Amino acid sequence: PRTRGADADAGADAGADGEAPPLAAKLSAPANLWEWSVHCALRERLAAPARRWVPLALAAHDLARGASSVLLTPVVAGVTMQQLVNEERRQARQPDEGLALLYTADLLGALAALHGAGLIHADLKPDNVMVRCPDPADLDAAAPLGSGGGGWAAHGVCLVDFGRAIDTRAYPAGTAFRSDLIADAFESVEMREGRPWTYQVDSFAAACCAHFLLHANYMELDRDGAGFHRPRAALKRYWQTDLWLDLFDALINVPAQGPQPDLGALAAQLHAHLDGAARHRTDLKQALHRQFAQLQESGLLKRR
């Protein structure tokens, strides 16, 4: 087999004890070395702090002359967003708004870094978002989330499955696309209406993920008399309704000739709410403790 690796940077992904991390192997048939190319671009373009949002591949193997390929990535200690919400539904638990705010903010930060590197994920959905679930025992609830200190940066998301990603730097500036690449529930308004799109596909999918965290079901849209699209499901009155409505509006209704939503600024708004009162972070740490224990009890998260 032909093997391609990232030996020069592999040490950066090793554990604290210097040992190589456990690896996950993704088998594709036929071969898909494009995903390896995307990982190479991410390794080159992402600043070190942003790499927490992508478990960068360490090697790719082209097997049997293109009949299949294997991509090797570090194992993420966590569960997919789909698994997380499915477990909540199985236990008949109400979604926790604080956790939804935390994970949505981190997802927006991850996408801001990805888009800043000139890449569109183009297949974003709860199955392709890993929720990192370390033990929150040492988390400092007094530290602001916006700073990423106090252990907060370890509690968030990772993006996986870049097999359909688009490298915008491979196209002339200003290039837009027309296609319905992803599952119907995650198609952006532009896709549904046959209009060109670029980063809107990821912004819309981020709104779908936020909706999934809040409501434990996929987002359906209504259109008002002014032509704006809104999530059909009503927000609970005790949630931060203004915050969520502004977020959904910014992510879903992107002006055809206007700028893309500022995902980093939207993430900062969510962090600002959680940092606005010490009790928000205390409640969030407690919710992370409950989630960690429940995921271990269910067997989704290995006990250490």
Side-chain angles (χ1 to χ4, degrees), residues 123-194:
D123 195 18
L124 188 67
K125 54 190 177 182
D127 269 333
N128 290 339
V129 179
M130 294 294 300
V131 177
R132 291 175 277 125
C133 301
D135 188 339
D138 296 329
L139 195 59
D140 182 6
L145 274 79
S147 70
W152 288 112
H155 296 268
V157 303
C158 283
L159 305 180
V160 298
D161 197 348
F162 288 87
R164 294 183 177 178
I166 299 170
D167 186 350
T168 64
R169 297 184 187 178
Y171 297 88
T175 298
F177 307 93
R178 290 181 186 268
S179 176
D180 51 350
L181 289 174
I182 61 179
D184 290 348
F186 302 95
E187 288 182 350
S188 68
V189 171
E190 293 77 14
M191 285 182 170
R192 300 177 191 208
E193 297 180 351

Side-chain angles (χ1 to χ4, degrees), residues 44-187:
E44 178 182 338
R45 300 175 194 174
L46 286 182
R51 292 185 182 182
R52 72 178 186 273
W53 286 312
V54 182
L56 291 169
L58 300 179
H61 302 260
D62 181 3
L63 307 176
R65 298 183 178 180
S68 61
S69 60
V70 174
L71 189 75
L72 300 177
T73 61
V75 171
V76 177
V79 298
T80 68
M81 186 180 291
Q82 186 77 48
Q83 290 174 311
L84 184 72
V85 174
N86 284 350
E87 179 61 19
E88 289 179 347
R89 286 194 297 209
R90 190 180 72 83
Q91 297 285 350
R93 292 195 301 268
Q94 290 294 317
D96 186 283
E97 187 191 17
L99 292 177
L101 286 165
L102 174 68
Y103 295 139
T104 299
D106 207 53
L107 177 59
L108 294 173
L111 289 175
L114 185 71
H115 294 173
L119 291 154
I120 304 171
H121 189 285
D123 195 18
L124 188 67
K125 54 190 177 182
D127 269 333
N128 290 339
V129 179
M130 294 294 300
V131 177
R132 291 175 277 125
C133 301
D135 188 339
D138 296 329
L139 195 59
D140 182 6
L145 274 79
S147 70
W152 288 112
H155 296 268
V157 303
C158 283
L159 305 180
V160 298
D161 197 348
F162 288 87
R164 294 183 177 178
I166 299 170
D167 186 350
T168 64
R169 297 184 187 178
Y171 297 88
T175 298
F177 307 93
R178 290 181 186 268
S179 176
D180 51 350
L181 289 174
I182 61 179
D184 290 348
F186 302 95
E187 288 182 350

Side-chain angles (χ1 to χ4, degrees), residues 245-262:
L245 289 173
D246 288 346
L247 178 74
F248 285 124
D249 184 49
L251 295 176
I252 295 170
N253 298 296
V254 181
Q257 303 301 322
Q260 296 291 325
D262 188 335

